[in-house]
Amino acid sequence: MPHRRGAGVAPPLRTRLRRLRRTAALRELVAETTVDPRRLVYPLFVRPGTGTPQSVPSMPGVFRYSVADVGRVAAEAAREGIRAVLVFGVARRKDADGRDAWAPDGLVPSSVRVIRRSAPELVVLTDVCLCAYTTHGHCGVVRHREVDNDASAERLGRIATAHARAGADIVAPSAMMDGQVAAIRDALDTAGFGSVAILSYASKHASAFYGPFRELEQSTPSFGDRRSYQMDYRNAREALREMEQDVAEGADLLMVKPALTSLDLLARARARFSVPLAAYQVSGEYATLKAAAAAGVVEEAAAVDETLTAIRRAGADLVVTYFARDVARRAQGVGP
Ligand code: PBG
């Protein structure tokens, strides 16, 4: 019998979404998204020389390690439940071409070899770029104060090959040169590294949130900025073209960054591409959360879990985050 609407009589609610929110156990049963430490990638920074780990004030808890220390740190992370690390190096000596980036005994290849030995179960990813190796701090070869795209892509191929030779599982080009994925795929295949995968930083916006990283990596450009190669954050369709292009060039996985400012792109990419998607919760996202927590504005663990969950919910399969070890420790029931 149809319900009659009378004055003051509310229609019976058949749909009550609160039914499944009533208890913690019910909420757990129907939760759609999880942040599993197995889906997180922990960035590791390596510095020349020996001695104690170095830090920058804006990134408490993040350090530049010596090659001698990085194996121990990787093994600790693995014991905590981390399954993948992304290795960043700096130049032992910077020059205009960034030659140290593809030196076989450079900091990244050396670290990869050390990590392979000390934590063989870890997936080892490496960042492939020139900015920490060039005197001018740009992500490519500079000619007449402009970044030469094709010459830069060729250099990225050399860097990726050096990383693959040291034992990297996945190389991750972050320079935003056109054709960089194809150049790297060709270089790897020619050198016999056909089974090394490419994670392309496909949609990388020129962002205010990379500042702390550049301090840590000493990779701030000495003139100009990165807007002639990194993407304008006003553009989403262009981001999808970048991703399309990288898939066509042979990217095995795609990445978007920064993470929290790219949730729309993750959702759209998830609907459009079948390759695994990664998001990078970058240094400025880490630093702002840390600063807010230190100021008592948010509770750190809760805020971190909420942002990582949102990034996963938007469509990321994996997340690169400086909070990875904290999350892993919490999952094991230890630490903050
Ligand atoms: C190198 C690179 C950058 C980041 C990853 N790879 C910095 C940049 O483009 O200036 C940013 C990572 C972060 O901020 O955490 N090109």
Side-chain angles (χ1 to χ4, degrees):
M1 196 173 107
H3 178 77
R4 261 184 292 118
R5 277 164 195 266
V9 181
L13 278 172
R14 289 178 186 282
T15 304
R16 290 182 184 272
L17 294 170
R18 287 184 54 197
R19 281 181 202 122
L20 298 181
R21 295 178 201 151
R22 196 170 48 83
T23 67
L26 277 166
R27 293 192 292 273
E28 283 300 318
L29 197 65
V30 299
E32 298 172 30
T33 314
T34 55
V35 178
D36 187 321
R38 285 176 296 189
R39 301 300 193 106
L40 304 180
V41 180
Y42 185 61
L44 281 175
F45 294 91
V46 191
R47 69 172 179 89
T50 52
T52 52
Q54 302 166 334
S55 191
V56 294
S58 58
M59 297 195 61
V62 177
F63 300 94
R64 277 191 296 253
Y65 298 101
S66 66
V67 174
D69 281 342
V70 77
R72 174 185 53 79
V73 176
E76 276 168 23
R79 271 196 300 280
E80 290 164 359
I82 295 296
R83 303 287 172 89
V85 292
L86 172 57
V87 182
F88 292 91
V90 290
R92 294 166 298 177
R93 241 182 332 278
K94 294 184 196 254
D95 61 33
D97 295 327
R99 293 176 174 281
D100 198 38
W102 60 86
D105 62 343
L107 294 185
V108 172
S110 302
S111 303
V112 170
R113 285 188 290 264
V114 166
I115 294 166
R116 276 260 157 275
R117 273 200 304 276
S118 58
E121 69 276 35
L122 282 178
V123 175
V124 180
L125 299 89
T126 60
D127 185 81
V128 175
C129 198
L130 281 156
C131 55
Y133 297 85
T134 52
T135 38
H136 46 72
H138 280 287
C139 301
V141 179
V142 172
R143 291 203 211 294
H144 312 297
R145 291 178 83 80
E146 287 204 7
V147 175
D148 179 332
N149 188 85
D150 299 5
S152 304
E154 188 271 333
R155 301 295 198 284
L156 297 170
R158 293 190 209 184
I159 301 171
T161 305
H163 295 179
R165 190 159 280 130
D169 297 293
I170 302 178
V171 292
S174 62
M176 288 299 283
M177 296 300 130
D178 288 326
Q180 65 182 16
V181 173
I184 289 171
R185 187 71 272 156
D186 284 348
L188 289 175
D189 291 353
T190 304
F193 298 110
S195 56
V196 170
I198 301 175
L199 162 61
S200 167
Y201 287 71
S203 168
K204 175 171 175 176
H205 285 132
S207 168
F209 289 97
Y210 305 149
F213 172 95
R214 290 180 191 167
E215 236 184 291
L216 204 61
E217 277 281 277
Q218 298 153 341
S219 63
T220 308
S222 63
F223 68 91
D225 55 39
R226 301 207 200 290
R227 281 184 286 190
S228 78
Y229 40 102
Q230 298 182 351
M231 243 184 356
D232 188 325
Y233 58 70
R234 290 172 293 190
N235 298 347
R237 292 193 304 268
E238 187 189 358
L240 293 168
R241 288 189 73 194
E242 284 280 1
M243 292 191 240
E244 244 159 40
Q245 188 65 43
D246 285 4
V247 169
E249 289 179 24
D252 300 283
L253 315 90
L254 295 174
M255 183 143 75
V256 305
K257 70 183 264 199
L260 217 52
T261 58
S262 305
L263 298 182
D264 58 327
L265 302 176
L266 278 172
R268 290 170 74 174
R270 178 71 299 154
R272 193 133 141 197
F273 305 107
S274 301
V275 295
L277 289 177
Y280 197 144
Q281 184 175 51
V282 300
S283 58
E285 299 180 84
Y286 177 84
T288 48
L289 278 167
K290 278 284 186 190
V297 175
V298 292
E299 201 267 292
E300 181 175 319
V304 168
D305 285 346
E306 187 172 336
T307 57
L308 289 173
T309 303
I311 294 162
R312 291 264 301 124
R313 194 188 67 224
D317 296 297
L318 35 151
V319 187
V320 182
T321 174
Y322 302 97
F323 291 114
R325 287 183 70 182
D326 295 346
V327 175
R329 279 194 290 261
R330 281 202 291 279
Q332 289 188 339
V334 287

